[in-house]
Amino acid sequence: AAWAVLAPGVRRGFGGFGHWRAGYATTLSSRPRQLRVTARGPNAWDVRNVLVARDRTACGAPLERRFAVRWRLSRAGGAWSVTALSATRLMSASACG
């Protein structure tokens, strides 16, 4: 369902659905934190947040990572889509020693 709202250019940036989906293969959970929304006009919004993601590692220990995420949401024809998306890793630590 999330893939369906990504604009074609954003999808290409992820390298296609299979590559995007594989990136979540070890994800246990993710939580958005510190949401900040800015209007860029009547049909465009910037949404920034810190994403806290927990992943399963090869040694079995969970690993928590944080990312600064920026979304550009645009509405055309009554439907919203993600027209830009970026994430920067803020913090991570080794879970397996």
Side-chain angles (χ1 to χ4, degrees):
W3 184 256
V5 298
L6 299 178
V10 175
R11 291 179 184 179
R12 279 191 301 277
F14 279 111
F17 180 73
H19 189 263
W20 177 75
R21 184 176 179 189
Y24 294 96
T26 61
T27 301
L28 298 170
S29 65
S30 61
R31 296 181 322 271
R33 299 284 188 234
Q34 301 173 9
L35 289 167
R36 190 172 73 212
V37 179
T38 305
R40 296 290 179 202
N43 293 310
W45 296 81
D46 278 347
V47 179
R48 294 176 186 251
N49 69 283
V50 172
L51 182 69
V52 180
R54 286 187 37 145
D55 294 311
R56 180 179 51 252
T57 62
C59 67
L63 173 64
E64 185 174 281
R65 299 179 198 172
R66 294 173 186 265
F67 300 87
V69 181
R70 181 179 178 200
W71 305 76
R72 169 66 54 96
L73 305 175
S74 300
R75 183 172 56 188
W80 287 95
S81 68
V82 178
T83 54
L85 176 58
S86 64
T88 304
R89 184 178 296 172
L90 297 174
M91 177 189 88
S92 65
S94 174
C96 299

